[in-house]
């Protein structure tokens, strides 16, 4: 048996096509959705992610600015720049690329972003809104994962969902989204005893830990949906996920490949959130 491949680029293309009329409607009103990304330091992976985001926005006809700062930028200077962007009506979305250099407190920086421009959905106001079931901006990677799960024939309501990894960016929000959709959710971490006992009963398994090929086929429930959020460099130097694709696809019903899976969905949902931020500026109270 071979799992069906959940292709990130194919699903992203569908979502992008659906976004076109919304972009046109905004343009007709003189509004071009605009994102400003702040990148501090020279982390090579972050450079790649930021360039990919910028290129995607430009290709979609949206506005994107990348502001690059040296790694010795002070926390105060960064927060002052964010405050200026909060006040700038031509900027709809603000994203501070993580990780930040060690001397900068990421929570303090995220708290400075206007929640109405927090297209990452990381501000406590947006995290709290998600927790009480009234999401405003949903973090992009979990949002993209839900869109991928929608493409399967698996019913989330009543399903057993297991999430490995409890980060604020992926693990916790995807657990909340799956729970809101009616799944019974277990969140595992690096200390979980007998991890395989959990993963083997998962109808939906989301793996976001950053350990190359840690989930093997023998740990997976037959016909389940396996979502691999990891992007690692394997021993052979090739990109690989947290799931061992070769053995997992023999067992799973659906699987996201690495590369070609979740990665592109994160950027696509950033488009969605930025367009939404621009649309919200039109709402009058
Ligand atoms: N670093 C890794 N993933 C993300 C993300 O989704 N948003 C931001 N701001 N930084 C990241």
């Amino acid at each position: 048996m071979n799992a069906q491949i959940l292709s990130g680029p194919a699903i992203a293309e569908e979502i992008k096509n659906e976004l076109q009329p919304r972009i046109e409607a905004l343009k007709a009103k003189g509004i071009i959705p605009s994102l400003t990304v702040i990148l501090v330091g020279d982390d090579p992976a972050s450079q790649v992610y930021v360039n990919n985001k910028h290129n995607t926005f430009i290709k979609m006809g949206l506005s994107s600015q990348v502001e690059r700062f040296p790694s010795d930028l002070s926390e105060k200077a960064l927060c002052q720049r964010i405050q200026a962007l909060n006040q700038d009506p031509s900027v709809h979305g603000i994203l501070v690329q993580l990780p930040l250099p060690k001397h900068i407190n990421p929570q303090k920086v995220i708290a400075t972003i206007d929640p109405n421009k927090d297209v990452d959905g990381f501000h406590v106001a947006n995290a709290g809104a998600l927790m009480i079931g009234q999401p405003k901006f949903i973090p992009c990677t979990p949002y993209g994962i839900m869109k991928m799960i929608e493409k399967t024939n698996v019913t989330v309501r009543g399903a057993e969902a297991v999430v490995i990894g409890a980060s604020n960016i992926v693990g916790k929000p995807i657990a909340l989204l799956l729970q809101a959709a009616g799944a019974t959710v277990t969140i595992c971490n690096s200390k979980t005893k007998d991890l395989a006992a959990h993963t083997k009963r998962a109808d939906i398994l989301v793996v976001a830990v950053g350990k190359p090929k840690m989930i093997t086929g023998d740990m997976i429930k037959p016909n389940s949906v396996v979502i691999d959020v990891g992007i690692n460099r394997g021993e052979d130097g090739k990109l690989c996920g947290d799931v061992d694709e070769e053995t997992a696809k023999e067992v799973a019903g659906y699987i996201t490949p690495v590369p070609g899976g979740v990665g592109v969905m994160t950027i696509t949902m950033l488009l969605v959130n930025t367009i939404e931020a621009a649309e919200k500026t039109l709402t009058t109270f």
Side-chain angles (χ1 to χ4, degrees):
M1 196 182 60
N2 243 338
Q4 287 191 48
I5 302 295
L6 286 170
S7 160
I11 300 169
E13 208 47 43
E14 278 178 40
I15 294 171
K16 283 186 199 168
N17 288 337
E18 288 164 13
L19 287 175
Q20 285 302 343
R22 290 169 67 181
I23 297 171
E24 294 308 320
L26 283 165
K27 281 191 181 160
K29 294 190 168 98
I31 297 173
I32 296 177
S34 164
L35 173 73
T36 296
V37 174
I38 295 179
L39 175 59
V40 185
D42 45 19
D43 178 65
S46 291
Q47 307 264 6
V48 174
Y49 296 146
V50 165
N51 287 339
N52 287 344
K53 284 171 190 167
H54 178 74
N55 293 337
T56 305
F57 270 66
I58 298 302
K59 264 193 204 149
M60 286 291 285
L62 307 190
S63 169
S64 162
Q65 295 78 38
V66 180
E67 298 194 358
R68 293 183 165 82
F69 294 98
S71 54
D72 62 356
L73 180 76
S74 72
E75 186 180 278
K76 190 174 171 198
L78 176 56
C79 290
Q80 280 171 345
R81 182 61 198 138
I82 292 168
Q83 278 157 354
L85 292 168
N86 286 344
Q87 299 302 319
D88 182 345
S90 73
V91 175
H92 303 113
I94 302 168
L95 182 150
V96 178
Q97 186 66 28
L98 302 175
L100 285 165
K102 294 256 181 302
H103 67 280
I104 300 178
N105 178 347
Q107 288 312 326
K108 196 166 169 194
V109 170
I110 292 165
T112 309
I113 300 171
D114 178 347
N116 294 313
K117 297 190 177 189
D118 170 39
V119 286
D120 252 334
F122 292 169
H123 191 286
V124 285
N126 285 318
L130 176 63
M131 188 174 167
I132 64 166
Q134 294 176 2
K136 294 200 171 75
F137 290 116
I138 299 172
C140 301
T141 303
Y143 199 0
I145 292 171
M146 291 306 285
K147 293 285 175 192
M148 295 181 107
I149 295 171
E150 278 173 23
K151 296 291 170 193
T152 71
N153 65 1
V154 170
T155 308
V156 178
R157 189 159 299 282
E160 286 283 341
V162 173
V163 177
I164 313 180
S167 70
N168 291 336
I169 294 181
V170 183
K172 286 183 209 167
I174 189 63
L176 286 170
L177 289 169
L178 287 164
Q179 187 187 47
T184 301
V185 183
T186 304
I187 308 179
C188 299
N189 57 47
S190 60
K191 309 278 187 309
T192 298
K193 288 179 193 154
D194 196 358
L195 186 63
H198 293 281
T199 58
K200 270 188 206 165
R201 49 174 193 76
D203 302 307
I204 298 167
L205 178 62
V206 180
V207 194
V209 273
K211 285 205 176 131
K213 302 185 185 183
M214 71 170 283
I215 301 296
T216 46
D218 56 328
M219 299 170 77
I220 289 172
K221 181 175 176 179
N223 288 317
S224 57
V225 179
V226 177
I227 307 285
D228 188 354
V229 189
I231 300 179
N232 313 291
R233 207 46 83 179
E235 282 168 12
D236 54 5
K238 288 188 188 156
L239 279 188
C240 71
D242 293 348
V243 176
D244 178 34
E245 207 172 307
E246 283 313 303
T247 55
K249 71 181 180 197
E250 298 294 319
V251 187
Y254 297 88
I255 192 165
T256 63
V258 178
V262 174
V264 70
M265 294 301 294
T266 299
I267 301 181
T268 307
M269 302 325 285
L270 184 62
L271 290 168
V272 173
N273 280 350
T274 305
I275 289 165
E276 228 158 82
E279 287 169 344
K280 278 180 186 160
T281 62
L282 292 171
T283 317
T284 46
F285 294 98

